[in-house]
Amino acid sequence: MTGSAGHGTRTPGRLAALLTEAATEAIRTVGGRVSGVYLRAGTPGLLRLAVLAGLPAPLFHPWWRLHADRPFPVADAYRLGVQVALPNATEAMRRYPQFAAGLPFQFGSLYVPVVGGSTSFGVLAMLRTAAADTSELLADQDRLAHLAADLGVALRRLEADGPPLTWDDRPLSVRPPTTRPGSGRTAHFSWDPATDLVTPDGDVHALLGLPPGEFPTTLRDLARTLAPSDFPQLLALLREAAEGRPPPLPLPVRAADGALRLLELRPPGPGRGSEAGSGVGPAPGSATGPALHPATDAAARSPSDARTDPPSALTPAKGVLRDPSADSPADAAAGLLPEGVFCLDRLGLVMYANPRAAHLLGRSRARLLGRAVWEGVPWLRQPAFEDHLRGALLSPDPVHFHVRRPATDEDQSYEGDWLALSVYPGPDILTCTVVPSSRMDDLADPHLAAPGGPSADGVPRIGSPTSGAPTAPQYRPIVLAIALTEAVTARQVSAVVTQELLPAFGGRRLAIYLLQDRHLYLAWENGFPEGFLAPFEGVGLDARLPGVETLTSGRPLFFDSMEQMQAAYPGMAMDATQGARAFLPLIASGRPVGSCILGFEHPRSFSTEERTVLTALAGLIAHAMEKAQRYDSEAALARGLQQALLPRRLSSHPQVETAGRYLPGTQGMDVGGDWYDVVEAGDGLALVIGDVQGHGVQAAATMGQLRSAVRAFALGDRPPDEVMSGTNRLLIDLDPGQFASCCYLRLDPANGRLRVARAGHPPPLVRGSDGRTHVMDIPGGVVLGVTPDAHYPVMELLLEPGAILALYTDGLVERPGFDIDDGIGALRVALERAGPSVTGQGEPSLAGLADRLTATARHAADRPDDIALLLATRHAMPRPPD
């Protein structure tokens, strides 16, 4: 978290408490399975998952970061300020294919922007069972919107103390409200860092194996009731919770009698140091809240961390002790079952395992209970298992799959054997069964296939013993392929690879080189030290470098570490990291395109499966990049055409100063139909601005025809209404299938008389000599190209000396999801703040003012539309000398 600690009275704990309470209240109120809050990050244009309730955050690591411009429902809700409702997987695939391909499970979802005042903080999301009834979904959407509105108000109050609220930490995993009555084996306590007092609530003494009334009153006393190895980690994590940073999963600890207990830590609640009365939060006495992440390794902490004199600035930390055996099936009954049975809660923690399950998984029960399943059974940390577990957590249907169990340090007898796993979802607990695949014929479950045979539906199971090793999730290439179809330029292709490919494989660095005249040139890089890649720019195909040899040989090259690469290429410059590298050839239809380099922070090996997937993805990237190169070449020609059609020099007059600016859009071909012009009209000047619908070569060509027509009418000094009517009939006769808006003004410099006609174009702005700015209220006709008998009324105005006239196209004032009037208002304010007069001493020139009004758009990475701006000011006629 950034922007929340150490500013005024605000603490990270207050922010964490508000977000966790909103997430748990969403599940309680709306009744979904999962909820989460995305918050804006410190990096502009990036959203981060701050809280996830009902799912283990580590299992959803690919979705921790989302770019606000990506085609995902969370991004749309945030960027456009709209609610997104996806009742089922079919609708999700129709509207958001990348999102649906990444989570191909049967569930519905809701996304509501969290807005406070004029500030968009993030998105409140809810995942639920697929909706069969639209009215039910609408009711849930309305309830979620009320919670999001309350959260927005609370965040706005919290932000008033200091800089913008952002989130740049890992997400907090929050235990969802349980649907079952309490077992009586849960107790609460709090620790006040200021006094070092520990205050119990309930039967904490019983869970710690202590006689009644003997609960410890200080942290040191509490330490004596736990196993000595647990205390340093407990203290460090209590301090983090007091600072508002509780890790997301529970910590397994041992009581004095050796019994396993789960300790969950929570941030300070709203009662102290947060927004009371915000309307966001669980019911009193609720046992929900973030728990603790075991990734905070006690072994990595020094003994000095175990001091007990924390600063008084910290707020009380709250803890919950649980007895995991209280929520488990009866050992006596489950121990007699022929198959292994283990249970997971919705955070992925193993709450129960019978002896048979422990034996088949190759771990002792003591090393399973209370730990995340991927930590208790490390060999299950593989993409295929994670994908199946996500499916069980998100949809109501059971999942069945095979895994190959390696030998473990506790049991060498099962090396290479296959196990059949089934996961049966529940509202609070997931029940898992595990059996040797050789025993599947003896089981009654019709969903499982015998080894080497088909499934119940006659189709061989992916990952079964007959199909080789279990495969990684097959949607990785699908997600990238869908994203690449929307990328049209080389820059967009490279950005998609950065956003979709790197996170999927844990990479941190990317470089894409493209082939030109038998040399490789850097087209995109991300994450490499500044200047490191400069010596490799423009290398020939005869250079002995991995990026060259992967292209000339057509074979991908994988290096588990920099040391391995140094041995293969002695003398080649290396960066400071010791991580792995992958060099992928970009070859499309047998033609070399370039090379793609993936960099990793740490050494790692590449499995056969990963090598296969990366090689396939390189082919997709090569085809997309080849298409993008052709597109870029065509776009360059189109831009040349457009630049030739725009005026190189504006007509001038001694009493009139003008300045024009044009910015192409950054989506599509970067070529549009916006134009502006200044034309001599008799003894006056014609000021023109227009916008042809659409983008591309056709729009630019139509724009050129309309500009020529308007110039011809203006040079004949035709009245504004006749100019509009004539141009309208010309566009209809040309029949390009496009419309156009236009605003035409005829200015008499001597007396400032303005005659204006408008065809569906945004109204001009005028800033008076006193600095006050207003929108010109001008009646207008329909856009050009609709009806041949359209009428365009003319309005007469007076432009006083020193006043500034601003004509613009909608690309400057229009944003998706916002009213265009708001954008016009913002431009009016910017023009008014420019200064009392552009003609006064020390004030900016008209050209400088044009630069200032387009500065934000000029530096924006993403402009969905092109922009035209034309400014004009009239000077008073100088008095003749005496």
Side-chain angles (χ1 to χ4, degrees):
M1 277 168 283
T2 61
S4 58
H7 301 288
T9 60
R10 193 164 59 182
T11 67
R14 297 171 64 190
L15 177 59
L18 285 173
L19 300 180
T20 55
E21 288 160 12
T24 52
E25 184 68 5
I27 292 180
R28 180 183 296 104
T29 303
V30 182
R33 285 177 172 267
V34 180
S35 69
V37 182
Y38 277 88
L39 211 63
R40 60 187 180 182
T43 302
L46 189 67
L47 297 172
R48 281 190 177 272
L49 181 61
V51 171
L52 186 62
L55 291 175
L59 196 62
F60 286 78
H61 190 274
W63 294 273
W64 283 12
R65 300 165 67 254
L66 284 178
H67 290 265
D69 61 347
R70 300 301 296 152
F72 283 84
V74 169
D76 276 1
Y78 175 77
R79 187 181 69 257
L80 304 178
V82 298
Q83 299 178 19
V84 178
L86 303 176
N88 49 50
T90 302
E91 182 68 7
M93 178 58 77
R94 185 184 71 82
R95 295 177 57 187
Y96 298 97
Q98 290 185 50
F99 169 69
L103 292 171
F105 312 117
Q106 292 298 322
F107 66 92
S109 52
L110 297 168
Y111 309 86
V112 179
V114 177
V115 179
S118 60
T119 302
S120 181
F121 290 102
V123 176
L124 179 60
M126 169 66 68
L127 307 186
R128 43 157 296 156
T129 55
D133 186 350
T134 304
S135 62
E136 176 189 352
L137 184 71
L138 292 176
D140 288 350
Q141 186 175 346
D142 187 58
R143 286 191 287 267
L144 196 67
H146 282 295
L147 289 174
D150 289 342
L151 178 59
V153 171
L155 292 178
R156 185 185 182 190
R157 292 173 181 165
L158 189 60
E159 189 179 64
D161 298 2
L165 289 173
T166 58
W167 190 278
D168 289 292
D169 242 333
R170 62 178 181 235
L172 302 176
S173 284
V174 179
R175 187 177 298 281
T178 180
T179 61
R180 300 170 300 157
S183 64
R185 298 295 292 172
T186 299
H188 303 246
F189 71 91
S190 63
W191 171 62
D192 190 338
T195 61
D196 196 31
L197 289 179
V198 178
T199 305
D201 178 16
D203 297 331
V204 180
H205 65 278
L207 289 176
L208 293 176
L210 301 173
E214 291 192 11
F215 182 79
T217 58
T218 68
L219 196 59
R220 290 190 182 277
D221 293 336
L222 178 61
R224 297 189 183 98
T225 67
L226 302 175
S229 60
D230 292 334
F231 179 62
Q233 184 177 10
L234 171 62
L235 176 61
L237 294 174
L238 277 168
R239 293 172 60 82
E240 290 183 4
E243 294 171 354
R245 297 181 292 109
L249 291 180
L251 171 71
V253 297
R254 297 284 171 178
D257 57 2
L260 175 68
R261 299 291 182 256
L262 295 180
L263 175 61
E264 300 179 9
L265 297 180
R266 303 173 182 172
R272 176 175 178 177
S274 66
E275 296 297 328
S278 66
V280 179
S286 168
T288 62
L292 187 67
H293 196 299
T296 309
D297 189 1
R301 300 179 181 275
S302 65
S304 63
D305 288 332
R307 57 189 176 87
T308 57
D309 55 343
S312 59
L314 303 181
T315 51
K318 298 181 180 181
V320 180
L321 277 173
R322 298 179 184 273
D323 178 1
S325 64
D327 292 330
S328 305
D331 258 0
L336 300 175
L337 295 176
E339 65 262 32
V341 177
F342 61 99
C343 298
L344 310 176
D345 69 2
R346 292 197 63 83
L347 297 186
L349 271 66
V350 179
M351 307 302 292
Y352 171 80
N354 71 356
R356 181 64 170 157
H359 176 62
L360 290 173
L361 295 175
R363 316 295 285 182
S364 67
R365 297 179 73 194
R367 296 181 65 174
L368 287 174
L369 294 178
R371 289 177 170 81
V373 62
W374 49 86
E375 295 185 355
V377 190
W379 54 268
L380 281 178
R381 181 172 277 178
Q382 52 181 282
F385 173 73
E386 292 180 354
D387 194 35
H388 289 303
L389 187 54
R390 275 192 287 265
L393 285 163
L394 288 174
S395 59
D397 301 323
V399 295
H400 313 276
F401 55 97
H402 295 78
V403 292
R404 194 170 189 175
R405 207 209 84 173
T408 66
D409 54 355
E410 296 183 21
D411 189 347
Q412 301 285 327
S413 62
Y414 278 85
E415 181 174 9
D417 282 3
W418 287 88
L419 299 175
L421 269 74
S422 296
V423 184
Y424 299 88
D428 301 306
I429 295 293
L430 284 72
T431 303
C432 311
T433 63
V434 54
V435 295
S437 60
S438 60
R439 292 193 61 254
M440 285 194 297
D441 282 332
D442 300 331
L443 300 177
D445 193 338
H447 294 85
L448 295 178
S455 65
D457 54 11
V459 180
R461 296 289 181 191
I462 294 177
S464 67
T466 59
S467 64
T471 59
Q474 298 302 307
Y475 59 77
R476 295 293 188 199
I478 298 174
V479 171
L480 184 62
I482 294 173
L484 287 174
T485 61
E486 301 176 358
V488 294
T489 67
R491 182 182 68 86
Q492 291 171 344
V493 170
S494 302
V496 166
V497 175
T498 301
Q499 295 171 5
E500 302 292 347
L501 182 62
L502 281 185
F505 290 88
R508 294 294 183 88
R509 301 182 179 189
L510 172 73
I512 294 179
Y513 284 86
L514 297 180
L515 182 64
Q516 182 179 350
D517 298 329
R518 296 187 58 79
H519 289 77
L520 287 173
Y521 296 92
L522 184 64
W524 181 273
E525 67 91 13
N526 180 75
F528 282 93
E530 184 176 357
F532 173 76
L533 296 176
F536 304 103
E537 178 72 2
V539 296
L541 294 186
D542 57 348
R544 190 175 184 276
L545 294 169
V548 173
E549 294 189 0
T550 189
L551 180 61
T552 56
S553 68
R555 295 183 299 104
L557 302 175
F558 298 93
F559 301 95
D560 295 351
S561 65
M562 295 294 286
E563 182 180 345
Q564 189 181 86
M565 189 167 70
Q566 182 75 64
Y569 294 90
M572 188 180 75
M574 304 284 175
D575 58 20
T577 65
Q578 296 302 310
R581 291 289 184 271
F583 294 83
L584 307 176
L586 301 182
I587 299 175
S589 304
R591 295 187 296 274
V593 176
S595 302
C596 178
I597 304 171
L598 303 180
F600 301 82
E601 290 297 302
H602 305 288
R604 57 159 294 173
S605 60
F606 296 90
S607 66
T608 302
E609 179 184 40
E610 287 179 315
R611 294 174 185 233
T612 301
V613 172
L614 283 171
T615 303
L617 295 179
L620 293 176
I621 297 168
H623 280 282
M625 193 62 77
E626 183 185 47
K627 180 185 70 174
Q629 286 181 303
R630 290 197 302 268
Y631 185 91
D632 288 340
S633 298
E634 295 172 3
L637 292 175
R639 281 193 294 270
L641 169 63
Q642 184 184 43
Q643 291 298 325
L645 294 175
L646 287 173
R648 294 180 178 274
R649 181 181 59 84
L650 299 178
S651 297
S652 61
H653 188 280
Q655 286 182 261
V656 180
E657 180 185 355
T658 58
R661 294 293 181 268
Y662 174 80
L663 300 175
T666 58
Q667 296 179 0
M669 193 158 298
D670 292 359
V671 177
D674 290 16
W675 91 94
Y676 61 87
D677 208 349
V678 178
V679 188
E680 294 181 9
D683 57 356
L685 286 179
L687 308 173
V688 190
I689 195 158
D691 181 2
V692 177
Q693 170 205 24
H695 299 83
V697 177
Q698 181 62 48
T702 302
M703 176 269 285
Q705 292 171 312
L706 294 185
R707 175 174 174 262
S708 297
V710 172
R711 285 186 67 86
F713 287 127
L715 289 171
D717 202 12
R718 303 281 290 276
D721 56 335
E722 292 186 19
V723 174
M724 290 290 93
S725 298
T727 307
N728 175 55
R729 286 190 293 271
L730 173 66
L731 182 58
I732 292 174
D733 290 341
L734 292 172
D735 193 22
Q738 293 172 305
F739 309 126
S741 68
C742 185
C743 187
Y744 182 93
L745 299 90
R746 202 278 187 188
L747 171 64
D748 186 338
N751 55 27
R753 181 182 177 218
L754 269 176
R755 303 184 70 217
V756 187
R758 189 163 64 97
H761 200 82
L765 301 179
V766 174
R767 191 185 121 213
S769 57
D770 59 356
R772 299 179 61 182
T773 304
H774 66 276
V775 179
M776 295 176 66
D777 185 12
I778 302 172
V782 299
V783 293
L784 305 176
V786 175
T787 176
D789 56 354
H791 175 63
Y792 299 97
V794 177
M795 185 174 183
E796 292 195 8
L797 301 166
L798 185 65
L799 185 68
E800 60 184 352
I804 299 174
L805 179 69
L807 308 178
Y808 53 92
T809 57
D810 56 7
L812 185 61
V813 294
E814 197 168 36
R815 289 179 55 198
F818 293 87
D819 194 298
I820 190 173
D821 290 338
D822 295 335
I824 294 175
L827 179 62
R828 183 189 63 79
V829 172
L831 182 61
E832 191 167 283
R833 291 176 177 174
S837 171
V838 294
T839 60
Q841 186 175 2
E843 296 298 333
S845 65
L846 202 63
L849 177 59
D851 289 335
R852 289 172 59 180
L853 294 179
T854 57
T856 300
R858 189 169 58 251
H859 293 101
D862 187 18
R863 287 192 301 272
D865 198 2
D866 45 349
I867 293 170
L869 173 70
L870 177 62
L871 301 180
T873 187
R874 172 176 164 258
H875 304 301
M877 178 68 73
R879 294 175 59 183
D882 293 335

